[in-house]
Amino acid sequence: MFRPFFFSLAFFSLASAADVKYYWDIGYVKANPDGQKERQVIGVNGQWPPPPLHVTLNDTLVIEARNSLDSPTTLHAHGMYQNGTNFMDGPFMVTQCGIPVGQNMTYRIPITQTGTYWIHAHYGAQYVDGIRAPLILHNPQEPHKYDEDVIVTLEDWYHDQASGLLKEFLSWKNPGGAEPVPNGALIGSLGGDRHKIIDFVPGKTYRLRLINMSALAMFHFSIEGHTMRVIEVDGVDTEPMVVGNVRLAAAQRTSVLVTALNSTSNNFMFHADMDTDMFDNIPATLNYNSTGIIRYSKNASILRDKSGPDWSPFHDIDLVPLDGMEALGFDVTYGLDVYFNQYTDALNHGTFNNITYVMPKVPTMFTALSMGADALNATVYGPQTNAHMVGHMQDVQLVVNNFDAGNHPFHLHGHHFQLIERGPAPYDPTFNPRPKSAPARRDTVTIPSMEYVVLRFRADNPGTWLFHCHIEWHIEGGLNMVIIEAPDVMQKRISVPQQILDHCKAAGIPTAGNAAGRQGYDLKGAPEGPYPYPLGWTSKAKGAMAGCILSALVGFASILWYGWSSQQSYRPVATTDDNELNTAENS
């Protein structure tokens, strides 16, 4: 457990602002967190799971990362604004070229936020293999009262390597796009018959920081016999709201306050159950109802709630931010329609507005920084980057319609957004929603199938920011787009560290030009496609049908010719009738 008072003595008294340094040697280790299969994972400093990172408001988080893997890697501090440090955000080929094998990267992140976050790789599907950890940003003037601070991580767990699972997912043999189903769940990096234990002392109040670090699974969290009060989501402090359970999709975080009972007679069970609606199939061996123990005494038995967990609905849109920030209007609005379909490369891709994301040849941030006035034109970022332009300090509205059959948690880098409205898709553009005076804010929102959400944020952070589904398989399947925010201001404010430029040079990745590495609007060589299969009869389809008909006619003609020629060459064979045969036998 983490005690805020002890932390304050250890850190706050030294200086009001300091560099908080961590060294991460990122490499392969072995782990068996569920006791069912030991496998290779990605750990830090020879151990797994990576330890939590703690830092305080106004400090600078410094991570000296060394890549001891056999492929490039990057780190993304999920939910951090990175205002002025867009180059530290981490997404491969958006803001970085990757840390080359055997080299280092120094991440310097000024801390201007507080709350519950996490850090993970943003290269390929590496974080599925274990390179992920809590990131806690402490507030010296914490607005909520509690005695102890407990981190509770929730993770889906796979027994196979992410690279192999990704290859199976992005395959013509998987036309429906069924995501890999995890082999189990981990609570506090423990699974199988190993249970996370949280010790409670009667009368104390505990802050449980729930962090879903999964690749796919949504979790429903509840505690039998206890009341929870939500006080934070995704780093935004909220007015306390009593809930029976909390729903967390991949990448979401929620802090709840729980006051311990005044008795040590019983222990209690808490639940972190995976939502099976996210899975295309449920293997017989999968235990999706994962549990842990609230322990008051080592000698007490577990008292079960006969009525079971409280699964009453949890609506994050009803939360009220503690700061009372008023609802934004909007200067620009973008509609984003979400689909999954099979594309012309025979793979099932996720898309915004029927465009599936393909990485450009030049990282998008470098295009924004190097193209001068042309950087204000979305064309230079390439057809598959799905770039959307935003001006400095504009209030931006995103209307996201989820037309897919599954739920999706969407994350915006560099910002918190306001949750203005939800409803059944499609959104009616003639409807002008009247949001609450202080709408809920977060950085990752779940949009159920066939529903929409209206999001708003202020463009006060010049940079290139991904907006994507945080189901890792969907990220790799193309369900991404990029907000290009005030590139003219970026060019004045952002100076990329030489270390990052050196990484790009070592990888042979250009750091200037449009998506093709060229100047102006010459995009020859930029990634294009795949595309949706076109509707109706294309010229190729007509040619193929004509070829089929011609082949059929030739086949019929061959059969007729063969039958006619066989008749012409037929010669009768001499036979002996029955009378002649009987006469021969009698003689």
Side-chain angles (χ1 to χ4, degrees):
M1 291 185 185
F2 183 82
R3 292 171 171 79
F5 180 70
F6 174 80
F7 188 89
S8 66
L9 290 178
F11 290 88
F12 300 162
S13 61
L14 296 178
S16 59
D19 285 357
V20 179
K21 298 180 180 180
Y22 291 90
Y23 177 75
W24 272 25
D25 186 355
I26 302 169
Y28 297 113
V29 297
K30 296 287 187 179
N32 186 8
D34 62 0
Q36 297 178 15
K37 181 181 179 180
E38 185 178 69
R39 54 156 294 190
Q40 177 178 277
V41 300
I42 301 177
V44 168
N45 303 335
Q47 66 175 347
W48 189 91
L53 305 180
H54 291 274
V55 65
T56 305
L57 180 66
N58 296 324
D59 285 346
T60 297
L61 174 62
V62 181
I63 304 174
E64 185 68 29
R66 178 168 181 80
N67 181 9
S68 295
L69 304 173
D70 57 9
S71 64
T73 192
T74 67
L75 292 176
H76 169 61
H78 181 108
M80 301 296 292
Y81 295 152
Q82 302 284 10
N83 201 318
T85 54
N86 189 207
F87 43 79
M88 295 290 173
D89 193 42
F92 179 63
M93 294 306 291
V94 179
T95 66
Q96 285 185 235
C97 301
I99 309 171
V101 174
Q103 295 194 29
N104 287 23
M105 166 78 182
T106 302
Y107 288 89
R108 292 187 60 87
I109 305 173
I111 303 303
T112 62
Q113 302 161 248
T114 61
T116 308
Y117 299 83
W118 62 303
I119 190 166
H120 61 85
H122 219 303
Y123 179 91
Q126 286 177 343
Y127 96 70
V128 183
D129 285 333
I131 182 63
R132 52 198 180 191
L135 171 58
I136 310 303
L137 310 183
H138 294 277
N139 189 347
Q141 298 179 341
E142 175 59 55
H144 302 288
K145 305 281 186 190
Y146 53 91
D147 298 297
E148 298 199 21
D149 201 333
V150 182
I151 298 172
V152 183
T153 57
L154 309 175
E155 305 163 77
D156 51 18
W157 188 248
Y158 293 84
H159 290 164
D160 297 317
Q161 298 290 319
S163 57
L165 296 171
L166 183 60
K167 188 175 181 179
E168 293 176 4
F169 174 65
L170 294 176
S171 168
W172 64 269
K173 298 178 182 178
N174 184 29
E179 301 87 358
V181 176
N183 296 99
L186 305 180
I187 305 174
S189 300
L190 297 173
D193 295 330
R194 304 168 182 177
H195 296 282
K196 171 72 174 178
I197 297 174
I198 303 174
D199 287 311
F200 271 19
V201 174
K204 284 192 173 184
T205 296
Y206 295 81
R207 177 178 186 161
L208 306 185
R209 298 180 186 265
L210 311 175
I211 309 174
N212 187 348
M213 303 194 301
S214 296
L216 171 63
M218 176 186 290
F219 282 87
H220 297 268
F221 183 90
S222 67
I223 306 176
E224 293 188 10
H226 293 71
T227 299
M228 299 188 298
R229 290 167 287 157
V230 173
I231 58 164
E232 176 225 352
V233 289
D234 295 356
V236 177
D237 289 310
T238 69
E239 299 284 354
M241 185 172 80
V242 176
V243 297
N245 73 91
V246 173
R247 180 183 65 185
L248 298 102
Q252 290 184 322
R253 296 89 63 208
T254 302
S255 285
V256 296
L257 294 184
V258 183
T259 299
L261 305 179
N262 289 318
S263 170
T264 60
S265 300
N266 298 290
N267 297 325
F268 294 85
M269 187 172 290
F270 68 85
H271 299 258
D273 297 345
M274 292 192 290
D275 190 329
T276 56
D277 286 346
M278 303 290 290
F279 305 153
D280 279 67
N281 64 83
I282 304 176
T285 56
L286 176 63
N287 178 18
Y288 49 85
N289 292 325
S290 50
T291 58
I293 298 171
I294 300 295
R295 185 171 66 183
Y296 286 87
S297 171
K298 293 181 179 180
N299 299 319
S301 60
I302 295 175
L303 178 64
R304 296 302 311 274
D305 189 335
K306 294 181 180 179
S307 60
D310 181 351
W311 296 134
S312 55
F314 169 64
H315 301 295
D316 59 355
I317 200 169
D318 294 333
L319 294 167
V320 179
L322 202 59
D323 61 12
M325 178 180 172
E326 294 185 355
L328 298 171
F330 62 95
D331 301 308
V332 60
T333 183
Y334 287 116
L336 301 172
D337 293 345
V338 177
Y339 298 97
F340 263 83
N341 283 306
Q342 198 169 17
Y343 270 50
T344 51
D345 60 355
L347 305 183
N348 190 282
H349 288 282
T351 68
F352 288 114
N353 299 340
N354 289 316
I355 298 175
T356 190
Y357 177 85
V358 180
M359 291 182 292
K361 288 188 174 182
V362 176
T364 303
M365 181 189 70
F366 288 110
T367 295
L369 292 174
S370 66
M371 290 296 291
D374 287 341
L376 294 167
N377 190 316
T379 302
V380 301
Y381 300 97
Q384 300 303 134
T385 304
N386 208 354
H388 287 63
M389 305 300 302
V390 171
H392 189 43
M393 298 306 291
Q394 283 189 318
D395 288 339
V396 183
Q397 176 172 277
L398 302 179
V399 179
V400 188
N401 291 295
N402 180 12
F403 292 116
D404 184 46
N407 303 332
H408 294 277
F410 287 102
H411 170 52
L412 175 61
H413 290 223
H415 292 277
H416 283 111
F417 42 66
Q418 295 181 335
L419 307 184
I420 301 299
E421 184 64 42
R422 291 181 178 274
Y427 172 73
D428 183 354
T430 65
F431 174 62
N432 185 20
R434 293 186 176 182
K436 295 185 303 183
S437 59
R441 298 197 311 276
R442 61 186 319 164
D443 60 49
T444 306
V445 62
T446 301
I447 309 180
S449 173
M450 295 307 299
E451 292 191 15
Y452 74 82
V453 68
V454 177
L455 311 173
R456 291 179 189 166
F457 67 94
R458 178 158 292 158
D460 56 3
N461 190 6
T464 53
W465 307 112
L466 266 184
F467 181 70
H468 63 90
C469 176
H470 216 289
I471 292 174
E472 180 59 30
W473 315 115
H474 295 174
I475 297 173
E476 302 305 318
L479 193 48
N480 315 278
M481 54 85 79
V482 183
I483 300 288
I484 312 296
E485 184 174 332
D488 50 342
V489 181
M490 287 177 64
Q491 293 168 13
K492 298 174 183 178
R493 294 185 182 179
I494 293 179
S495 179
V496 180
Q498 185 62 44
Q499 187 182 45
I500 294 177
L501 296 171
D502 291 343
H503 290 166
C504 295
K505 183 177 181 180
I509 298 173
T511 55
N514 59 29
R518 298 171 178 270
Q519 291 301 309
Y521 304 110
D522 179 6
L523 290 168
K524 183 179 179 181
E528 283 194 75
Y531 301 106
Y533 281 116
L535 300 175
W537 289 91
T538 64
S539 57
K540 288 184 178 180
K542 293 175 181 177
M545 178 58 75
C548 290
I549 294 172
L550 180 61
S551 297
L553 293 174
V554 170
F556 286 131
S558 298
I559 293 171
L560 292 173
W561 178 84
Y562 181 80
W564 178 81
S565 61
S566 296
Q567 288 291 332
Q568 295 300 311
S569 59
Y570 175 75
R571 294 290 186 272
V573 178
T575 60
T576 304
D577 61 25
D578 292 343
N579 292 330
E580 292 176 342
L581 182 60
N582 291 335
T583 303
E585 288 177 350
N586 291 332
S587 63

